[in-house]
Amino acid sequence: CLVCSASSVPSTLLSGWLRMVNVVAQWWLSSTDASLYRSANGVFAAQNLPAETPMIEYQGLRLTHAKADRQYAGNAESGHTILFTLNEQYVIDANQGGNAARWINHSCEPNCKAFLIEHPGRDRKLDRVVIETLRPVKAGEELAYNYAITLDERHTPRLKKLWACRCGAKSCTGTMLNSRPRRKAKAK
């Protein structure tokens, strides 16, 4: 499945933080002085934003990994995705019911990070992904996070080229693909 990934937030921190994320994101995105604006090239801060500010929830239709694989079979060759890993069972498909979060670009030197907020119940479909600033972001600055795209297949030079990163950062890895651990040689 072609997906971005997020760090996990323990469920013990959920209740108050989740309410705050909803209030902040809804106010920012619905007010006339919104903190985010979208252009044809990405999503930008409309005002200065402090570090660790929850910005926006990554929204879209929840699909099982198997259904996403069937629906988007062969898309590893496209070099484009707006699927986001929610957890072991589901991905978020921003093609269906997605919001402005799907237009936040990748960077190898990101100013934002995606966080998984686990729902306290057993229904993993209710888990959420929120994009948060890592550091202070100035008005007019593009928002970006590391997609860390995970592909099940081997990262061949051709796939690395398809999933090339063009962020321009000094530490650019040249690919949006998540680095894979190297296999250890067997002891003799």
Side-chain angles (χ1 to χ4, degrees), residues 14 16 29-30 89 109 161:
L14 281 181
L29 295 175
S30 64
Q89 295 173 308
E109 289 181 12
K161 184 176 180 181

Side-chain angles (χ1 to χ4, degrees), residues 100-160:
R102 68 182 168 172
W103 304 116
I104 298 175
N105 286 318
H106 163 86
S107 177
C108 295
E109 289 181 12
N111 55 15
C112 295
K113 184 169 184 144
F115 285 94
L116 173 65
I117 301 175
E118 296 174 335
H119 190 271
R122 292 184 180 201
D123 188 355
R124 299 287 45 106
K125 204 173 195 178
L126 299 176
D127 291 350
R128 300 166 72 181
V129 172
V130 173
I131 311 299
E132 175 182 280
T133 56
L134 285 171
R135 61 168 175 76
V137 177
K138 294 180 181 177
E141 188 176 348
E142 182 178 9
L143 301 175
Y145 62 94
N146 186 331
Y147 286 3
I149 294 172
T150 301
L151 299 178
D152 291 334
E153 59 239 74
R154 186 173 159 266
H155 295 178
T156 64
R158 190 167 112 322
L159 279 178
K160 287 180 182 177

Side-chain angles (χ1 to χ4, degrees), residues 31-185:
S31 70
T32 55
D33 186 25
S35 295
L36 306 176
Y37 67 91
R38 181 182 173 260
S39 79
N41 298 319
V43 178
F44 297 80
Q47 65 187 41
N48 292 337
L49 302 168
E52 300 179 0
T53 301
M55 295 301 308
I56 188 169
E57 179 180 350
Y58 195 95
Q59 295 180 339
L61 182 67
R62 273 36 175 194
L63 300 175
T64 63
H65 287 272
K67 184 168 183 175
D69 288 342
R70 284 190 307 273
Q71 188 166 328
Y72 294 100
N75 275 3
E77 303 298 319
S78 74
H80 177 76
T81 185
I82 53 177
L83 298 177
F84 205 116
T85 297
L86 184 59
N87 50 45
E88 310 81 36
Q89 295 173 308
Y90 297 99
V91 298
I92 300 171
D93 180 358
N95 275 321
Q96 302 176 60
N99 60 357
R102 68 182 168 172
W103 304 116
I104 298 175
N105 286 318
H106 163 86
S107 177
C108 295
E109 289 181 12
N111 55 15
C112 295
K113 184 169 184 144
F115 285 94
L116 173 65
I117 301 175
E118 296 174 335
H119 190 271
R122 292 184 180 201
D123 188 355
R124 299 287 45 106
K125 204 173 195 178
L126 299 176
D127 291 350
R128 300 166 72 181
V129 172
V130 173
I131 311 299
E132 175 182 280
T133 56
L134 285 171
R135 61 168 175 76
V137 177
K138 294 180 181 177
E141 188 176 348
E142 182 178 9
L143 301 175
Y145 62 94
N146 186 331
Y147 286 3
I149 294 172
T150 301
L151 299 178
D152 291 334
E153 59 239 74
R154 186 173 159 266
H155 295 178
T156 64
R158 190 167 112 322
L159 279 178
K160 287 180 182 177
K161 184 176 180 181
L162 281 170
W163 293 95
C165 176
R166 295 176 184 85
C167 72
K170 289 179 185 177
S171 64
C172 182
T173 63
T175 183
M176 293 183 283
L177 297 174
N178 194 20
S179 60
R180 297 174 66 137
R182 295 182 184 255
R183 292 183 184 179
K184 294 180 183 179

